[in-house]
Amino acid sequence: MERYSNVNSVGGSIKFGNRVMLGEYGKITGQGGVVIEDDVLFADKVTIIASEHLYEDPNIPIWRQGSYCKGVHIGAGTWVGINVTILQGTEIGRNCVIGAGSVVKGTFPSRCVIAGNPARIIKRYDENGKIWKRV
């Protein structure tokens, strides 16, 4: 973990695999549970948030309505680019690349390139041709 990073379980749990690197100014909140497998590399300013605020009643301030917690799972060998935000409920497969500035929420298979806001799959690894192909 690099300087100025903040990792806080907020009553949940955060599990790091081996050889995980969180860049400068990284932030992980694990209220809904976070699992980061082996050899995951995070660039600077990556944020992982495993919960979100409820806002059902417009007559009650949002901060008083509690939160909804659903975990985050990041597969082994994944590279997360600078300024990426990963939101609660996200599952990322193994050996993925997440492009800089992406906002990621959802389920993504192994061996894909994910980018955008909202993030989507832009490339997949073709095992037969041994190349990354645009989707």
Side-chain angles (χ1 to χ4, degrees), residues 87-122:
L87 300 172
Q88 63 93 21
T90 296
E91 294 183 29
I92 299 167
R94 299 169 64 94
N95 300 312
C96 290
V97 175
I98 303 176
S102 297
V103 177
V104 185
K105 184 171 183 174
T107 301
F108 299 90
S110 295
R111 296 181 172 174
C112 63
V113 178
I114 305 160
N117 180 4
R120 62 182 177 81
I121 298 170
I122 62 169

Side-chain angles (χ1 to χ4, degrees), residues 55-74:
Y55 55 94
E56 298 299 317
D57 188 339
N59 298 311
I60 299 173
I62 291 171
W63 67 270
R64 290 184 41 209
Q65 294 188 49
S67 59
Y68 173 75
C69 302
K70 194 168 180 187
V72 171
H73 189 114
I74 301 173

Side-chain angles (χ1 to χ4, degrees), residues 4-126:
Y4 312 116
S5 292
N6 182 320
V7 176
N8 188 339
S9 65
V10 194
S13 65
I14 301 171
K15 296 180 182 176
F16 289 99
N18 296 311
R19 299 169 303 278
V20 171
M21 187 190 151
L22 180 62
E24 289 185 351
Y25 300 98
K27 181 174 181 66
I28 300 173
T29 59
Q31 191 171 6
V34 175
V35 175
I36 301 167
E37 294 183 2
D38 296 343
D39 300 307
V40 174
L41 179 60
F42 296 97
D44 298 340
K45 302 177 185 175
V46 170
T47 301
I48 299 172
I49 303 170
S51 65
E52 65 182 55
H53 291 282
L54 296 173
Y55 55 94
E56 298 299 317
D57 188 339
N59 298 311
I60 299 173
I62 291 171
W63 67 270
R64 290 184 41 209
Q65 294 188 49
S67 59
Y68 173 75
C69 302
K70 194 168 180 187
V72 171
H73 189 114
I74 301 173
T78 293
W79 156 245
V80 182
I82 194 168
N83 284 323
V84 167
T85 300
I86 299 173
L87 300 172
Q88 63 93 21
T90 296
E91 294 183 29
I92 299 167
R94 299 169 64 94
N95 300 312
C96 290
V97 175
I98 303 176
S102 297
V103 177
V104 185
K105 184 171 183 174
T107 301
F108 299 90
S110 295
R111 296 181 172 174
C112 63
V113 178
I114 305 160
N117 180 4
R120 62 182 177 81
I121 298 170
I122 62 169
K123 289 183 181 180
R124 291 181 190 256
Y125 188 72
D126 177 6

